[in-house]
Amino acid sequence: MRSRFGTESSRHRCSMGRRTARFGPLLLLLLLPAAWGAGPSRPRELQVSARQAGQAARVALHYLNYRLGSPSALRALGQVRKARLKTIPGIGHKYYLQFTTEDYKSNQNVGTCLATVLYLKRKPRPAVNINCTYTKDQKQIQDNDYNFYKKMRQQTNPIIGKDIPDSYGNIEPSFEPVWALAVAGSSYVMWEKSTENLGYFMAQVKHVKQWISKDDVVDFDYSVMLHEIPTQEMISCHIRIIWTPDHPLKVKYFCLSENQWLESGEGSGTESGSTSGIYNER
Ligand SMILES: *[C@@H]1O[C@H](CO)[C@@H](O)[C@H](O)[C@H]1NC(C)=O
């Protein structure tokens, strides 16, 4: 990162040197502000309704939902309260955000988050730092996760399902946690794929199949449809999700878009592309 700054500023110095030799000190005065402007700028306020602000807040929540790896604690964006944007020349755009969150299922307000999201010019996935308050009962969350885990572990016949939710938007209650786990795992894919201008929602689980595992894990193969905005494109992803409560999710995926490009990747909850700092306080 430093060397890029170095290159930029030495290039400016060189070109200024040539010109000042010909046009004298007056031009030096005119050019100086432009050269200074090439340094990191101060963050500027954004409208909380700006599409990029909501987009960046959703990226931060994809990261949070993936990292917490808890199907019972999924959060969606409530309202953006504050948004600022800093342009870092040669590096990328950094968003500073404050927003409220809602429980994924009940839509009840469950707390506020402070987050930074840095879209790097050269790296694919945005770097996220997020701290949130959480008003939901943590014990209840843990119990729900553990009960789902126990039920899946006791399964002698693998769970198999399709079209969750169905075309009427309904989710059969027994498949609700299976779907929620797909959202948590897809959040990894959505975080990886997100850019400043492209966002993702998990639209539907097309197909799910459980692998009965001898290890103490819950293991699912999913086919999911991701909805890309604002292009409205549907992207089909195959995602393998391996889960144990209170452990990072293990995710492997490949995706195929309507334009037939293929992408793949994998995550284990130890990604270095992002700073740590998930705090859940009441
Ligand atoms: C989150 O909290 C940590 C530790 O207090 C702090 O270093 C970090 O800057 C915070 N992140 C945000 C986005 O506020």
Side-chain angles (χ1 to χ4, degrees):
M1 290 215 301
R2 263 196 202 114
S3 67
R4 277 192 61 77
F5 269 130
T7 326
E8 293 274 324
S9 54
S10 49
R11 194 152 45 78
H12 278 287
R13 269 201 303 277
C14 285
S15 63
M16 256 168 52
R18 267 203 316 274
R19 285 181 206 166
T20 47
R22 279 165 62 198
F23 297 104
L26 176 62
L27 199 62
L28 174 62
L29 282 178
L30 290 174
L31 284 173
L32 263 179
W36 279 338
S41 64
R42 288 165 57 82
R44 67 180 169 89
E45 295 290 327
L46 285 183
Q47 297 275 336
V48 292
S49 59
R51 191 170 61 81
Q52 264 85 356
Q55 164 62 15
R58 280 189 203 96
V59 170
L61 284 174
H62 288 329
Y63 174 70
L64 183 75
N65 285 335
Y66 158 62
R67 282 301 289 264
L68 292 179
S70 165
S72 311
L74 294 174
R75 270 174 270 191
L77 178 61
Q79 282 180 330
V80 178
R81 287 278 160 77
K82 272 188 191 151
R84 286 180 302 145
L85 167 61
K86 185 159 104 178
T87 302
I88 310 173
I91 307 278
H93 284 170
K94 188 167 186 178
Y95 287 78
Y96 298 79
L97 305 153
Q98 187 191 326
F99 54 89
T100 61
T101 60
E102 293 176 353
D103 181 75
Y104 217 86
K105 290 152 230 171
S106 69
N107 292 348
Q108 276 176 336
N109 188 321
V110 287
T112 305
C113 299
L114 284 178
T116 58
V117 175
L118 172 59
Y119 296 101
L120 297 157
K121 273 191 175 158
R122 293 173 167 243
K123 270 213 187 138
R125 72 177 163 226
V128 177
N129 188 300
I130 181 166
N131 296 328
C132 300
T133 59
Y134 195 45
T135 54
K136 239 175 129 175
D137 184 354
Q138 305 262 13
K139 177 78 173 61
Q140 188 65 56
I141 296 280
Q142 272 179 352
D143 287 353
N144 290 351
D145 276 353
Y146 187 71
N147 289 338
F148 170 52
Y149 172 78
K150 212 167 63 182
K151 211 165 129 202
M152 292 303 106
R153 289 294 307 157
Q154 286 164 352
Q155 208 72 25
T156 44
N157 290 319
I159 300 253
I160 291 175
K162 66 181 180 75
D163 298 335
I164 319 168
D166 64 19
S167 43
Y168 303 100
N170 296 324
I171 297 178
E172 202 192 299
S174 66
F175 273 99
E176 206 275 334
V178 178
W179 167 84
L181 185 59
V183 174
S186 298
S187 296
Y188 175 74
V189 184
M190 297 191 282
W191 166 45
E192 278 228 324
K193 292 173 70 60
S194 290
T195 66
E196 201 166 359
N197 298 307
L198 290 180
Y200 299 88
F201 292 90
M202 196 193 86
Q204 194 185 32
V205 171
K206 293 305 286 182
H207 191 265
V208 54
K209 180 182 185 300
Q210 183 184 12
W211 294 99
I212 303 289
S213 166
K214 285 191 203 72
D215 302 328
D216 289 338
V217 298
V218 166
D219 188 345
F220 280 109
D221 253 342
Y222 290 97
S223 293
V224 305
M225 297 302 281
L226 302 184
H227 185 187
E228 186 178 84
I229 51 163
T231 61
Q232 304 294 341
E233 202 182 319
M234 280 300 192
I235 294 162
S236 164
C237 296
H238 183 98
I239 309 181
R240 178 84 174 258
I241 299 174
I242 297 176
W243 176 65
T244 319
D246 299 323
H247 284 72
L249 283 180
K250 290 205 174 77
V251 178
K252 265 191 192 176
Y253 74 92
F254 66 85
C255 297
L256 200 58
S257 77
E258 283 164 0
N259 305 330
Q260 301 298 301
W261 48 255
L262 186 77
E263 263 188 3
S264 63
E266 80 182 84
S268 58
T270 55
E271 282 64 39
S272 59
S274 291
T275 35
S276 57
I278 297 169
Y279 293 88
N280 279 298
E281 297 149 1
R282 288 183 64 95

